[in-house]
Amino acid sequence: MIGNRRIALCMFVLLAAAAESVAAATSPAVQASLKAGRPFVAGELLVQFKPGASEAAKAAALGRQGAQATRTLLGKARRKDAKGDLVQAQLGKGRKVDAALLARLAADPAVDFVEPNWIYRSQQSNPDDPGLGKLWGMQGASTSPAHPYGSGALAAWNADALCSSQVHVGIVDEGLMTSHPDLRANVWVNPGEGSRADRKDNDGNGLVDDIHGWDFVGNNASVFDSTVDDHGTHVAGTVAAQANNATGVFGVCPSARLISAKFLGSNGGTTAGAVQAINYLTELKLAKKIRLVATNNSWGGGGYSQALYDAIQTAGRANILFVAAAGNSGSSNDTTPSYPASYALPNLIAVAAIGPSGQLAGFSNYGPNSVHIAAPGVDILSSVPTSKRAGGYAYMSGTSMAAPHVTGAAALYASLNPCASAAQIREALLRLAVRDPQLTGLVQQTRRLDASKIRAELACAP
Ligand SMILES: [Ca+2]
Ligand SMILES: [Ca+2]
Ligand SMILES: [Ca+2]
Ligand SMILES: [Ca+2]
């Protein structure tokens, strides 16, 4: 049996656009911004009409795309240049702003150009999530509020080094609460199944209605079943809880898409479940060409398994990083291996937990040869289900909570470096880590996670 180990779990309820194929008519810069997942107001457009376009032609152009003008931002008569009306428009219900819609509208003879209504933030501003002051793991030495041993994810946010919604992460764990108010915007929807269950395996992968992932414990599509999915929901929140939604907390990569591969139930999980869960995610990536860059694996305790080793290695060949909690036995993985953290594979990062003092947590496994990095894992506030329907927040501690800080950082790096391989992401996270003498003899090269310096740095091959 593989049991997810966690300790000191105290509950504190605090508070309750994928780009399609792009036509040439949309500006390449707008396409690139869409692709990068830059935020915009849902359903809103800015439309620049040509100077000669009649009122009827303008209304017809919008109407054909299910849109209507809500106001004129700049009328032709008042303009100093030779352009026509600049209009703000609203899409009808059920329509969304994407590259295809922009291209269709831009191709209309009445239209000069069209773009999303981008959302800007003042630089150096914090997200408005009320939990910010309690998220020591997200703070950094130079942020406000500051925490010297936090991951520095907030500093990356402040520097506009933003997470992309094109990046996907697999949560191999319990299930996760897909309706949680701080997660639901980032829960993956399988494009091959659509958002509505129809009891058909529409994408032909052998799993009926795997809309948000799959439950390998119950062998069914419901990846959230009850409050027993609190650990998976908590881990998911640290990776990618939504930021700047005036709600709760936020994750290290707060726009990344979360795919649930549930294999831990109330009695833990098994090698069979873990292998299926990991292979499911690898197959999804290969079949659907989604940018699934990492899996989070906050579990351990089983014996050595060649089958599990093979599954992780296969994921690596598909450029999926495997982020593993080092274990909560307070022992050395160098002398007593803890699986899966101790599999020596190039796509695996084993993560130890530090507390707010920067010291290794008493429960955390360690190993200067086999544990690669440390990250915040004590008194970590994140999302949980408080009932079948209600989402809340709770503090948890464990290497289970440290690993998702690293997984989120991997997703953030991949957001800013879209051509990075798993090996390059791993190398970058280890290179950018802070060397902390408190971790001497405990963690390889005394590394502690530092997401504050994650930036675009890799060019894509031409
Ligand atoms: Ca399916
Ligand atoms: Ca279906
Ligand atoms: Ca289920
Ligand atoms: Ca939030």
Side-chain angles (χ1 to χ4, degrees):
M1 290 300 264
I2 297 172
N4 64 311
R5 299 182 181 184
R6 60 187 128 139
I7 67 161
L9 188 168
C10 40
M11 300 283 278
F12 277 77
V13 177
L14 271 185
L15 21 105
E20 291 172 26
S21 64
V22 181
T26 317
S27 119
V30 168
Q31 290 172 32
S33 296
L34 268 181
K35 231 177 165 163
R38 294 285 167 182
F40 55 82
V41 183
E44 284 189 15
L45 294 171
L46 265 51
V47 184
Q48 175 65 61
F49 288 107
K50 289 181 178 160
S54 69
E55 292 304 316
K58 289 188 284 190
L62 292 175
R64 277 190 286 274
Q65 307 308 329
Q68 64 180 45
T70 48
R71 60 181 172 150
T72 300
L73 297 170
L74 202 50
K76 183 170 78 169
R78 297 183 57 187
R79 294 188 72 129
K80 305 283 186 269
D81 55 19
K83 293 192 173 181
D85 292 341
L86 178 66
V87 164
Q88 185 178 328
Q90 180 73 42
L91 291 178
K93 218 172 172 211
R95 305 224 178 204
K96 65 174 188 176
V97 176
D98 59 19
L101 181 129
L102 293 179
R104 288 195 302 273
L105 191 50
D108 193 286
V111 172
D112 182 359
F113 62 80
V114 56
E115 52 198 36
N117 194 10
W118 301 116
I119 296 169
Y120 302 97
R121 296 180 297 104
S122 59
Q123 301 290 318
Q124 302 295 328
S125 76
N126 283 338
D128 64 8
D129 308 79
L132 170 66
K134 300 183 173 73
L135 294 170
W136 76 270
M138 298 296 160
Q139 300 165 16
S142 62
T143 62
S144 176
H147 196 289
Y149 303 108
S151 71
L154 179 59
W157 169 278
N158 289 156
D160 222 22
L162 297 181
C163 178
S164 166
S165 59
Q166 302 295 305
V167 168
H168 297 62
V169 170
I171 303 295
V172 182
D173 206 285
E174 295 170 348
L176 62 92
M177 187 183 197
T178 51
S179 60
H180 193 288
D182 237 356
L183 296 181
R184 61 189 172 211
N186 290 339
V187 172
W188 178 69
V189 176
N190 181 350
E193 290 284 349
S195 56
R196 194 164 294 169
D198 60 0
R199 301 182 181 216
K200 295 193 178 88
D201 176 20
N202 307 73
D203 62 1
N205 67 350
L207 303 176
V208 173
D209 294 335
D210 54 326
I211 292 169
H212 303 305
W214 192 256
D215 173 356
F216 293 94
V217 187
N219 194 29
N220 56 45
S222 63
V223 297
F224 175 62
D225 292 300
S226 71
T227 51
V228 300
D229 292 310
D230 58 345
H231 182 269
T233 302
H234 196 279
V235 160
T238 298
V239 175
Q242 195 183 354
N244 222 28
N245 60 345
T247 300
V249 298
F250 58 91
V252 175
C253 192
S255 310
R257 294 297 181 248
L258 296 160
I259 308 176
S260 175
K262 172 173 176 171
F263 90 103
L264 294 175
S266 42
N267 296 315
T270 63
T271 301
V275 166
Q276 285 180 292
I278 294 160
N279 285 342
Y280 167 69
L281 293 167
T282 305
E283 284 172 18
L284 276 188
K285 174 168 189 173
L286 296 175
K288 297 181 189 295
K289 312 251 183 292
I290 52 179
R291 281 177 56 202
L292 173 56
V293 300
T295 58
N296 189 82
N297 301 275
S298 289
W299 45 277
Y304 180 89
S305 161
Q306 184 65 44
L308 185 50
Y309 178 98
D310 289 349
I312 300 168
Q313 185 174 51
T314 303
R317 291 189 179 128
N319 268 315
I320 302 173
L321 206 59
F322 188 91
V323 182
N328 294 343
S329 308
S331 57
S332 168
N333 288 0
D334 285 5
T335 53
T336 310
S338 171
Y339 301 109
S342 292
Y343 293 119
L345 282 164
N347 62 315
L348 187 148
I349 301 185
V351 185
I354 53 171
S357 67
Q359 291 179 329
L360 195 79
F363 57 75
S364 180
N365 287 12
Y366 54 92
N369 297 314
S370 59
V371 174
H372 307 111
I373 195 166
V378 175
D379 296 338
I380 301 302
L381 183 66
S382 187
S383 45
V384 290
T386 53
S387 73
K388 177 106 186 178
R389 299 190 185 281
Y393 302 88
Y395 288 97
M396 292 189 188
S397 298
T399 52
S400 283
M401 284 65 241
H405 284 90
V406 174
T407 304
L412 182 58
Y413 188 84
S415 297
L416 298 165
N417 297 280
C419 298
S421 65
Q424 286 171 316
I425 296 170
R426 186 180 189 279
E427 182 279 329
L429 296 185
L430 299 184
R431 166 170 44 85
L432 295 172
V434 174
R435 305 292 170 92
D436 190 326
Q438 294 187 94
L439 299 173
T440 302
L442 299 171
V443 175
Q444 203 173 70
Q445 296 184 32
T446 71
R447 295 184 190 107
R448 163 162 65 73
L449 177 66
D450 184 2
S452 70
K453 298 192 289 286
I454 293 178
R455 296 288 184 276
E457 61 179 11
L458 287 181
C460 290

